[in-house]
Structures are given as structure tokens and as C-alpha cells.
Amino acid sequence: QQTSSNVLLHKVLDGFHSLQGSPSELWKCYTLKFLDSYAYFSFSIIFTLFLTSDFGFSDVHAGTIYGAWGALITLFGLLAGCIVDNLGVARSLRVGFVLTFVSRCMICFTTSRTVLLFNVCGLLPMGSCLGIPVLATGIRRYTTSGNRGFAFGLFYVIMNVAALLSGPVVDACTIFFKSAENAVLVEHYNLTGYRIVILTGTVANFVAVCFAATVREIKI
């Protein structure tokens, strides 16, 4: 058992060693993946509850909207291929994260169903399709055939770590801010627990915008 653990440890260390000398864009992609995954998973955990609690949608309507959001990310992703080819990785990431940041801001603070649905079914999936798949393209461009397998493995580990983090954050926000007296008052506006969760994702998205602004259009 100890020998197997040592072998595994050496493989992991060799994998990290193989990434030495990679451009800084590779590590920026990992950072963007973490921030984007946290924002995505924390939002998806509370999305249907947010729709029913803060907007009064029925369970059936909330589930339908949730399904439409996921389907539109896939649909826009198929249609965005030519856009990504023209813009390139760097500009696609900038546009994508700016769109998702604006969308999450509006979702977090709006009380209008129309504004909510416009962002959930429009800006948010449109921005997501310019971020998530483009990051995978970036990993391919910033690695070599010798270390690409480990690079992609690390890429998905980072995604899972962000998903794991989102759970405790959601629990903390929804438990503490569940009651009306604990809601955060901003300009006579109550930020409920679910909106606080979305706000944390919005902050993560803002940091992602800052990182995306520094990504260069390069290829190994």
C-alpha cells in the first residue's frame, strides 16, 4: 500500500514538474477555471430555490427554467464556435467573463421576472459558452503533447475543488441569512441568503474578469 502511494506521489510530482516552463497563461486558465466553476456550481445549487423563494415561481416553472438555462449553454456553445475562431482565446475569455459578470450582477439585484429571465436565458449562457469551452482550448494551446494529459487532469481536479467549496459556502450563507432579520440591507433592499450566494459568485466572476484581461493570445 505504501509503495503504491509513493508511486502515485511521484507521478503527481513528475506531472507538476512537466508543467514547469509553461506560459503564465496556463496558470491563469487554472485560476479562471476555479473562479468560474465556483460561480457556476454555487449558483446551480440554489437556482431553483432562488426562483421559488425570491420570485414566486412554482416548482415546475423553476425546474423548467433551470433546464432551459443548461440547454441554452449547450446550444449557444454550438453556435459560438465560429465566433471563438474569429476572436481567439484571449478575446473570447474577456468577452465571456464580462457578459457573465454583468448578468450575475443583474440577477443578484433585480426583482423583475423579465430581467431575470433575460439574463438566465440570454446573457448568462451566452457568456458561459465563451468561457468554459474556451478554457479547454487554452489548456491545449499552452501545453505540449508530453504534459497535456496531466494538464487536463489538473484542470478537472480544480473544477471539482471549486464545486466542493461551493457547498459549504452555500450552507453558510443560506443558514445565517435565512431569516429576514439577518438579511443584508443595501439601500433599503434586502439581500436574502440566496442572493448572498449569487453575490459571492459575482465577486469571483469580477476577479475572473481581471485575470482574463491579462491573458495573451499565444500558442505553444
Side-chain angles (χ1 to χ4, degrees), residues 28-167:
K28 290 174 185 177
C29 276
Y30 287 142
T31 303
L32 291 172
K33 183 62 175 177
F34 177 82
L35 295 168
D36 184 66
S37 296
Y38 169 76
Y40 172 84
F41 285 110
S42 61
F43 181 63
S44 64
I45 290 172
I46 56 92
F47 188 25
T48 54
L49 297 173
F50 171 63
L51 292 175
T52 56
S53 174
D54 288 49
F55 287 90
F57 285 103
S58 67
D59 290 342
V60 173
H61 287 158
T64 301
I65 296 169
Y66 182 92
W69 170 53
L72 286 168
I73 292 177
T74 302
L75 177 60
F76 287 163
L78 295 174
L79 299 176
C82 60
I83 298 176
V84 173
D85 290 339
N86 291 324
L87 290 179
V89 170
R91 281 187 290 180
S92 294
L93 289 175
R94 293 184 190 113
V95 172
F97 282 111
V98 167
L99 287 177
T100 53
F101 173 67
V102 172
S103 178
R104 285 193 169 98
C105 284
M106 296 179 72
I107 291 171
C108 182
F109 294 104
T110 188
T111 56
S112 167
R113 284 189 173 188
T114 301
V115 174
L116 172 76
L117 293 176
F118 170 75
N119 284 278
V120 168
C121 297
L123 286 185
L124 188 58
M126 190 180 302
S128 295
C129 78
L130 289 174
I132 299 172
V134 176
L135 285 174
T137 301
I139 296 296
R140 285 198 300 271
R141 289 192 174 186
Y142 308 140
T143 54
T144 65
S145 58
N147 61 15
R148 191 164 295 137
F150 179 81
F152 270 107
L154 183 58
F155 185 68
Y156 292 111
V157 167
I158 289 172
M159 178 189 72
N160 290 325
V161 170
L164 183 64
L165 174 66
S166 65

Side-chain angles (χ1 to χ4, degrees), residues 144-202:
T144 65
S145 58
N147 61 15
R148 191 164 295 137
F150 179 81
F152 270 107
L154 183 58
F155 185 68
Y156 292 111
V157 167
I158 289 172
M159 178 189 72
N160 290 325
V161 170
L164 183 64
L165 174 66
S166 65
V169 173
V170 167
D171 288 342
C173 291
T174 54
I175 291 173
F176 183 77
F177 296 104
K178 185 175 182 180
S179 59
E181 58 268 21
N182 284 339
V184 178
L185 186 63
V186 180
E187 293 292 335
H188 307 292
Y189 175 80
N190 284 334
L191 284 176
T192 62
Y194 298 130
R195 292 183 187 270
I196 294 291
V197 172
I198 298 171
L199 181 61
T200 64
T202 304

